[in-house]
Amino acid sequence: MLRRIVELRDFGASGWRVPVVGLGTWQTFDVAPDRLPAARAVVEALIDDGGTMFDSSPMYGRSEAILGASLGGARDRSLVATKIWTRSVDEGRAQFAAQLQYFGGRVDLEQVHNLVAWEAQLDWMEAEREAGRIELLGATHYSAAAFDELERVMRSRRIQAIQIPYNPAERTVEKRILPLAQDLGLGVIAMRPVGSGRWRLDRLPRSFRGTAEPVPRELADLGVRTLAQALLKWCLSDPRIHCVIPATSRVDHAHDNAEAGAGPWLDRRQRELLESVL
Ligand SMILES: NC(=O)c1ccc[n+]([C@@H]2O[C@H](COP(=O)([O-])OP(=O)(O)OC[C@H]3O[C@@H](n4cnc5c(N)ncnc54)[C@H](OP(=O)(O)O)[C@@H]3O)[C@@H](O)[C@H]2O)c1
């Protein structure tokens, strides 16, 4: 059933409009082929809801292959953001060749994973972009310790997008990375938007725990039904974030996450309320 509930945002100055909620694949899609139907169901749920951005990497084991097989005929209606993760240019090219097989002969956003050998990898990635097999280039890092280096890549103007961690416990990007991305017109994807499962529901105040009806008043006041939705809305309430990519292995969570991809967004008081209970 097509619901199309996820809002679109400009992806910096790239010319893309992207769904504000997509799907990460770390761990959740690194599964044996007999789990393909379950992965496909998650992908279909997101696509039905309009969450058509999918993130992967050669670092994630079987995830790229499972994602490619899950997309099937929906590949043309989706955006694939994957990565190159190796010090070796030859190995990087081999990773790209495999991706062309998985993703129908092109990669929409090719990112240098954790900035590994970024100058050498971007040299050939730029040529692939010229040739039309890659549409946009990007860079990712999971650690604030690498943000000086990330800034250097951003200022090089060789990339059109970044992927950074953003959630109430990881906010370093607010200081320099997000303002710089805005100045440079870069697209911004937020990894770990629900904190990689860091917050345990049973440790939160009782009034924040519920996922069933009736929705607890505190969550209802934030316009959401679940803690994960509150976290996604917290993230997307900063307009400098263009897309969040929560990973999930569950169809119900995929729908929940998509539902958080539409306004109204949280104001400062609502964001602070959530921060105060985590
Ligand atoms: N260096 C990098 O480039 C880098 C680093 C880290 C991450 N990433 C990318 O960012 C993506 C997201 O980060 P992440 O996977 O670390 O963390 P995350 O998306 O913040 O958290 C994933 C966890 O949250 C749970 N979850 C998701 N939706 C939920 C919901 N509605 N309700 C309850 N639980 C929910 C999932 O469990 P269930 O399966 O039970 O839903 C999963 O265990 C990755 O998958 C990857 O694609 C990139």
Side-chain angles (χ1 to χ4, degrees):
M1 183 185 61
L2 208 60
R3 302 201 298 167
R4 295 269 159 213
I5 53 180
V6 177
E7 285 188 12
L8 301 176
R9 268 181 203 174
D10 287 340
F11 196 52
S14 69
W16 282 12
R17 298 267 295 161
V18 295
V20 294
V21 176
L23 183 74
T25 60
W26 181 50
Q27 294 179 321
T28 46
F29 273 48
D30 184 13
V31 296
D34 66 335
R35 300 271 307 280
L36 178 59
R40 184 175 286 146
V42 169
V43 166
E44 284 172 357
L46 251 303
I47 288 178
D48 284 351
D49 289 351
T52 50
M53 171 83 95
F54 299 91
D55 180 76
S56 197
S57 170
M59 187 205 264
Y60 306 159
R62 293 163 288 193
S63 296
E64 287 185 307
I66 292 286
L67 175 61
S70 299
L71 285 168
R75 171 66 183 100
D76 287 344
R77 289 176 281 131
S78 61
L79 293 170
V80 170
T82 193
K83 312 189 188 87
I84 298 299
W85 179 63
T86 172
R87 301 217 156 274
S88 148
V89 165
D90 286 348
E91 174 59 21
R93 286 182 178 280
Q95 291 177 355
F96 181 58
Q99 292 165 353
L100 294 179
Q101 298 294 314
Y102 300 142
F103 302 123
R106 69 181 202 284
V107 169
D108 301 296
L109 169 59
E110 188 72 273
Q111 305 157 104
V112 180
H113 197 152
N114 290 345
L115 308 180
V116 177
W118 64 269
E119 283 169 304
Q121 302 298 4
L122 281 178
D123 285 346
W124 67 265
M125 288 163 64
E126 282 168 337
E128 291 296 342
R129 187 172 182 232
E130 286 292 311
R133 286 182 285 269
I134 293 173
E135 196 170 339
L136 299 182
L137 298 174
T140 80
H141 211 288
Y142 69 94
S143 166
F147 287 171
D148 285 350
E149 181 78 355
L150 179 61
E151 261 191 70
R152 272 195 289 284
V153 188
M154 293 163 74
R155 290 185 195 282
S156 77
R157 299 193 177 259
R158 297 180 71 183
I159 58 171
Q160 295 77 49
I162 55 169
Q163 184 182 144
I164 40 77
Y166 193 49
N167 61 60
E170 296 183 283
R171 305 182 64 168
T172 310
V173 290
E174 289 173 348
K175 289 190 208 114
R176 295 196 354 218
I177 297 294
L178 293 181
L180 181 60
Q182 194 170 34
D183 284 354
L184 295 171
L186 300 183
V188 177
I189 297 174
M191 65 173 81
R192 299 204 292 238
V194 294
S196 295
R198 148 196 317 255
W199 288 288
R200 295 228 348 235
L201 274 179
D202 58 4
R203 294 213 186 117
L204 295 187
R206 185 171 296 280
S207 54
F208 268 89
R209 286 183 210 165
T211 57
E213 301 292 335
V215 176
R217 189 173 53 78
E218 280 79 354
L219 286 177
D221 283 352
L222 301 179
V224 297
R225 289 182 296 102
T226 73
L227 174 66
Q229 290 181 326
L231 289 164
L232 295 177
K233 282 223 170 185
W234 181 95
C235 202
L236 288 166
S237 295
D238 187 325
R240 298 171 299 183
I241 303 292
H242 305 135
C243 178
V244 295
I245 46 165
T248 184
S249 50
R250 290 177 46 163
V251 167
D252 57 340
H253 287 174
H255 285 307
D256 285 353
N257 294 347
E259 206 175 283
W265 306 108
L266 308 187
D267 60 25
R268 201 182 67 182
R269 184 195 60 78
Q270 290 172 308
R271 282 183 115 207
E272 287 172 357
L273 174 67
L274 180 62
E275 291 155 24
S276 71
V277 299
L278 293 172

